[in-house]
Amino acid sequence: MKPKVKYELEFPIHSSPQLLYQYIITPSGLSEWFADNVNSRGEFYTFIWDDSEENAKLASKKSGEKVKFKWLDENNKETEYFFELKIQVDEITNDVSLIVTDFSEEDELPENKLLWESLVSDLKHVIGSV
């Protein structure tokens, strides 16, 4: 398996940080834009798309600011890979941005960035930030 590269994307979002946080931490919020369905049992989340599902553990969260999920392997052991969604508020303008940190195989990087752009576009539609 090839090592993955870490990358970060920033998306401006017209929303209050509190509202945005509900869409990145709750299974119901995440299932409105990130996956077809999201289930959680405590700190363990299952992300379901069409015909696949991935398990992740809520590695850390800071209320109203960020959430980090670590991907689990088929034995439900933590992998080194994660994705983090961080809400950043500009101190001067109060502009809100969503910072996405994720990993991708090098040759899949362009399409994974496009996937995040599409996902965040869905998120913006859901919260009325278009």
Side-chain angles (χ1 to χ4, degrees):
M1 197 164 131
K2 290 188 280 190
K4 296 184 178 184
V5 293
K6 184 176 174 181
Y7 64 97
E8 194 174 277
L9 302 169
E10 181 173 348
F11 301 97
I13 298 200
H14 301 290
S15 164
S16 73
Q18 297 76 13
L19 176 68
L20 184 53
Y21 187 71
Q22 294 309 306
Y23 283 94
I24 67 172
I25 187 67
T26 64
S28 60
L30 285 161
S31 62
E32 287 198 51
W33 67 278
F34 182 71
D36 297 333
N37 197 2
V38 180
N39 298 315
S40 72
R41 242 191 216 113
E43 60 193 11
F44 293 95
Y45 284 64
T46 303
F47 297 96
I48 302 161
W49 295 271
D50 292 336
D51 51 0
S52 71
E53 61 180 58
E54 294 288 332
N55 294 310
K57 179 180 179 192
L58 181 61
S60 64
K61 67 179 179 180
K62 190 166 183 188
S63 188
E65 286 183 34
K66 68 179 181 178
V67 58
K68 179 177 177 178
F69 292 98
K70 272 204 135 170
W71 293 113
L72 304 176
D73 64 17
E74 51 282 343
N75 302 316
N76 279 333
K77 298 273 182 260
E78 287 185 29
T79 67
E80 63 192 287
Y81 302 115
F82 64 87
F83 72 98
E84 182 178 67
L85 304 169
K86 187 165 57 180
I87 300 167
Q88 187 171 293
V89 181
D90 184 288
E91 288 179 16
I92 296 164
T93 63
N94 279 334
D95 288 346
V96 175
S97 293
L98 182 66
I99 313 287
V100 174
T101 305
D102 198 3
F103 289 84
S104 172
E105 291 183 8
E106 194 115 26
D107 56 348
E108 294 175 358
L109 194 55
E111 67 192 65
N112 284 333
K113 286 182 175 180
L114 281 173
L115 174 63
W116 274 111
E117 285 174 20
S118 171
L119 289 169
V120 172
S121 172
D122 291 348
L123 171 63
K124 288 178 177 182
H125 281 279
V126 168
I127 60 178
S129 163
V130 187

